[in-house]
Amino acid sequence: MPITLVVGPLLGVLILNLFGKKAMNGLAFTLACAIAIAQMALVLAFPGFWTADAGFLTEIFGWDAGVDSLAKVMFLAIPLVTATALMVGRQVIGGADRFFLFANLTILAMAGMNGIVLANDLFTIYVFLEVTAVASYILISFGRGRDALEGAFKYLLLSSVATAMLLTAIGLMISIAGGTSFALISDALKSQPNHLYAQLSLALFVAGLFIKSGLVPFHGWLPGAYSEAPSPVSVLLAGIITKTTGVYTLVRLVITVFGPHPTTQGLLLAFGAISIVVGAIAALTQNDFKRMLAYSSISQVGYIILGLGGGTEIAIAGAVLHLFNHAVFKTLLFVNASAVEQQTKTRDMNRLGGLSNRMPVTGTTSTIAFLSTAGIPPFSGFWSKLLIIVGVWKAGFPGYAILGIAASLLTLAYFLAMQRKMFFGKLMIGFEDLKEAGAWITIPAILLAALTFGLGVAAPWLFETFIIPIRSIL
Amino acid sequence: MTIALLILLPLLGLWTILASSLLNAAIGLAATSATLTLVLFTIESPLAGVFELSVCAGLITVVFVSAISLTSRYTDHEMAERDSSRRKRFFLLPVLMAAVGAAFWFLGAEQPVLPELAASAAGEVREVIWTIRRLDLVGQILIVLSGVFGIVVLFKSRKECRCGCEAKEQLP
């Protein structure tokens, strides 16, 4: 019944709008959260759901393909981040009317992401990439300030370039495979891997998805979009949207469709490594904490791509685990950023200091998130980075593995600098009356911090349940 | 016939981008889509043609015109400044389009398209839309819904503010 993961959110939007904004304003948050929480429950507690026949829905929508472990990882991460963004939105978006619009767009983005994960056809992926992208442009410009509109416009422009590349690549693939399904294209690439159209199409696909992922040097849109978007939208964008539209799509296509190819592997390793280093160095030089987190995202996505480029089972398993971990700890960091921005009305780290004295929950959860990002045990980020580095080393690329370890030190450096400037030391004058942001920000922050710690401690369960089954699709 | 339409297509695209008013640009986009529909019919891709005509030339144009109805006109001075900067910004576009067109032309000559392409694209429209690509239809509905919310978020609230009403909501 996985098709309900696209149809359900669509029905949710229709129900919300059927009775008019005024009647449904109060229900928007409850319904949107219920959709997200139900999806998490389906992944964790209802294994039968994934193989059950959707009955009339299958008849109507004609989709009956299976769902593998990689997809389930994403089906868990998507509602987790969406529910968090909704809670942060409830706290910071003033006005029931505007929250109603935000909730609708968030559900639509969630449906788009679910569609990407569900797709087993290149054109279907393109359609749902567009669903998510259109909802994202509007969400980024939600604040309607000049900077937010500029961020949205940059994202729109670069995303359009990526879309043009993907569409051209799909066109070229059709000409050699005769269709757009994963199976047809995979067969065509195996039978004629050196066809000019096949190589051109692969290059266009990879470049288009690098733009969507925000990898260096295609990252121009990302810092502006992440930092200028309203806080809950930053959570959604950094936590899951770019991870699904760019990173997951790339992982899925490399694993399921393109297969191992030395040229693709070389590109992934090189661009992954460049992004790790450039993202980390750029993060070190930032004063705006949201921009710092944006550059940190670029660096962490570099690790995922490096693992994917490693190509071994262990490296790819590490990449998928880091994809999930990154969704969790980056969401937590942006939730904390929302709390600080909401309470202090500034994003300049030089104007902050000693916030842990007044915001201990935010300070503590921020420390947990950055330790996990830097790959410090026992937090979840340690395991995924370890798998990536061991996998890349075993694949015969020790240089890239050493670079990964060295860049982790850079990660630790910029996060320590951030923590010291914002949370440690003496409280800055003017913040004496500061207090924690409301419950809708602190509760998800505590839950995500517990998850970051819990995933690190429960790593064996995680491997058994989600990561080891990924080997079956490699 | 197809060659003439393929030459007309980028010219209409250029006109859409360079049009001095949003309304002309929306009309240009509709004309571009209609021309693309004709191209798709002439190369025996009725499915793509029907989609292009219904969604892009039809629905998207209606959405654009609705959005434009919520905007206000530039002053003559603003319009003159905008025209001048736009011409400078786009002067390389025709050259770029010609270069991309030439590249595809030569690529196509080197690597002829396999015959399966024509066979796969020429299915019966109804069967393809309602049997093979039904999930994509859900995606189309989601995109249109996102567009509608976009208009409300970006234009409607702004119009309310310009009319002198106080913005009812705080910005996030």
Side-chain angles (χ1 to χ4, degrees), chain A residues 78-104:
Chain A
I78 290 167
L80 179 70
V81 181
T82 305
T84 308
L86 283 163
M87 288 179 200
V88 175
R90 181 164 178 122
Q91 184 75 47
V92 303
I93 295 179
D97 283 359
R98 282 189 75 70
F99 183 80
F100 180 82
L101 292 171
F102 171 76
N104 274 287

Side-chain angles (χ1 to χ4, degrees), chain A residues 36-370:
Chain A
I37 291 166
Q39 184 169 324
M40 281 189 270
L42 287 171
V43 177
L44 293 172
F46 296 92
F49 168 84
W50 304 98
T51 48
D53 184 10
F56 76 98
L57 282 177
T58 309
E59 289 274 309
I60 294 171
F61 296 105
W63 193 96
D64 56 358
V67 167
D68 57 26
S69 306
L70 175 59
K72 283 183 192 168
V73 170
M74 294 309 294
F75 282 134
L76 187 59
I78 290 167
L80 179 70
V81 181
T82 305
T84 308
L86 283 163
M87 288 179 200
V88 175
R90 181 164 178 122
Q91 184 75 47
V92 303
I93 295 179
D97 283 359
R98 282 189 75 70
F99 183 80
F100 180 82
L101 292 171
F102 171 76
N104 274 287
L105 284 163
T106 306
I107 302 173
L108 287 171
M110 186 179 156
M113 289 185 279
N114 283 343
I116 293 169
V117 180
L118 210 55
N120 55 8
D121 178 291
L122 281 187
F123 192 76
T124 305
I125 281 204
Y126 159 72
V127 170
F128 284 97
L129 278 175
E130 285 302 288
V131 173
T132 317
V134 172
S136 306
Y137 308 143
I138 302 158
L139 281 167
I140 297 169
S141 55
F142 207 73
R144 292 179 298 167
R146 188 187 166 82
D147 291 341
L149 289 171
E150 189 186 321
F153 191 65
K154 271 188 193 165
Y155 183 35
L156 173 70
L157 277 185
L158 275 163
S159 202
S160 302
V161 173
T163 300
M165 286 177 167
L166 296 178
L167 269 182
T168 310
I170 291 171
L172 292 170
M173 279 295 184
I174 291 174
S175 71
I176 58 167
T180 53
S181 78
F182 286 175
L184 268 177
I185 289 169
S186 180
D187 290 345
L189 287 176
K190 276 177 196 152
S191 62
Q192 37 190 339
N194 296 322
H195 193 289
L196 176 65
Y197 281 8
Q199 291 187 337
L200 195 58
S201 178
L202 277 181
L204 284 168
F205 252 115
V206 171
L209 293 172
F210 278 179
I211 295 176
K212 293 261 182 198
S213 309
L215 282 176
V216 177
F218 308 101
H219 64 291
W221 63 271
L222 192 141
Y226 280 18
S227 59
E228 302 306 340
S231 300
V233 181
S234 302
V235 170
L236 202 59
L237 265 182
I240 198 68
I241 287 181
T242 50
K243 306 298 166 291
T244 310
T245 56
V247 185
Y248 165 79
T249 310
L250 194 58
V251 173
R252 167 61 72 200
L253 293 184
V254 168
I255 291 177
T256 314
V257 184
F258 300 158
H261 193 287
T263 314
T264 320
Q265 191 177 29
L267 276 175
L268 294 172
L269 284 167
F271 281 95
I274 292 168
S275 298
I276 289 173
V277 176
V278 174
I281 292 171
L284 264 173
T285 62
Q286 302 301 313
N287 288 321
D288 177 329
F289 57 77
K290 276 175 86 174
R291 283 187 82 85
M292 198 219 77
L293 293 179
Y295 280 108
S296 164
S297 271
I298 293 171
S299 182
Q300 297 308 311
V301 166
Y303 277 99
I304 300 169
I305 302 302
L306 190 74
L308 189 61
T312 56
E313 284 178 359
I314 195 166
I316 292 177
V320 175
L321 182 57
H322 203 59
L323 181 56
F324 182 78
N325 282 340
H326 186 254
V328 176
F329 57 63
K330 194 59 68 176
T331 301
L332 174 54
L333 284 163
F334 271 96
V335 169
N336 289 330
S338 309
V340 174
E341 192 181 8
Q342 167 87 353
Q343 298 304 95
T344 64
K345 311 293 178 207
T346 180
R347 300 200 311 250
D348 186 349
M349 287 190 277
N350 294 323
R351 293 172 58 194
L352 300 168
L355 295 185
S356 276
N357 296 315
R358 292 285 180 274
M359 301 172 76
V361 174
T362 308
T364 310
T365 53
S366 178
T367 308
I368 291 171
F370 97 72

